[in-house]
Amino acid sequence: IDSTKENNMNFRRIVIKNLPLRYFSSKIKTKPVKCDPYGQKGLALELSEINKLLPTINKEWSISQDGKKLSRMYTCKKKDVIRHDSSLTFHLVNQLYNISTNMNHYPYDIHIIPRKSSFIITLKTIPLKGLSYNDFFLALQLDSAHQQLISK
């Protein structure tokens, strides 16, 4: 154990095999660190920022009146096929799950309508009580997966 004095504060340094592990001091006060996993300081996106991001995703996405949710209805039907195919719907929902798991960001709500081979997805970041950049990124990823699925 080695004692040093820096800026009128007493420090103790623990050295194991000449490797400093940690400094300790009873006089040091640190601010508590808040977890900010979305990088938005715990705040949802403002409407002005949402309006800037909206053109980056498909035009079929809509914002709720309160500006806290992003929704879209996906219909899974191949262009050359007359009837709807429910298996495509469930395949896209499965892809949504995989994308969400990789991003560690999940949709707020999914409403599947098997008879019409479609589903409605609603995005919202619950801890922020509104939208985050991750919601828009998830929307972009899902649009890409949907486009690839119906163009096959």
Side-chain angles (χ1 to χ4, degrees):
I1 296 180
D2 176 25
S3 294
T4 60
K5 192 169 187 176
E6 293 177 18
N7 296 333
N8 295 327
M9 298 187 82
N10 293 323
F11 289 93
R12 283 192 176 164
R13 183 172 59 180
I14 300 172
V15 180
I16 299 176
K17 294 184 181 178
N18 297 325
L19 178 65
L21 291 180
R22 194 166 193 162
Y23 288 92
F24 298 93
S25 173
S26 59
K27 296 180 182 180
I28 295 177
K29 293 183 181 179
T30 59
K31 293 181 181 178
V33 179
K34 288 188 177 182
C35 181
D36 188 17
Y38 300 100
Q40 295 178 208
K41 299 177 184 167
L43 302 172
L45 292 174
E46 293 182 12
L47 201 53
S48 60
E49 188 68 22
I50 291 169
N51 289 331
K52 288 179 188 175
L53 292 170
L54 207 51
T56 64
I57 56 177
N58 193 305
K59 294 177 183 176
E60 293 180 31
W61 285 95
S62 62
I63 301 292
S64 63
Q65 289 180 346
D66 60 0
K68 295 184 178 188
K69 295 177 188 172
L70 186 64
S71 299
R72 179 180 175 190
M73 178 184 235
Y74 283 96
T75 302
C76 298
K77 177 182 168 185
K78 290 190 179 182
K79 292 178 182 177
D80 57 344
V81 179
I82 296 171
R83 67 179 181 80
H84 295 281
D85 190 357
S86 292
S87 65
L88 290 176
T89 301
F90 290 106
H91 183 72
L92 186 59
V93 170
N94 189 39
Q95 282 187 319
L96 166 66
Y97 172 75
N98 291 334
I99 292 167
S100 298
T101 301
N102 287 338
M103 287 180 59
N104 196 23
H105 187 75
Y106 298 91
Y108 179 70
D109 187 33
I110 300 174
H111 180 75
I112 299 174
I113 309 165
R115 193 166 181 201
K116 292 186 177 181
S117 298
S118 60
F119 68 95
I120 300 169
I121 181 167
T122 304
L123 303 176
K124 174 184 176 180
T125 303
I126 296 171
L128 301 180
K129 298 179 180 124
L131 293 170
S132 68
Y133 292 107
N134 287 356
D135 293 316
F136 283 90
F137 188 65
L138 182 58
L140 189 64
Q141 293 286 323
L142 192 54
D143 286 342
S144 176
H146 179 253
Q147 193 62 37
Q148 289 176 358
L149 185 67
I150 63 170
S151 64
K152 286 184 180 179

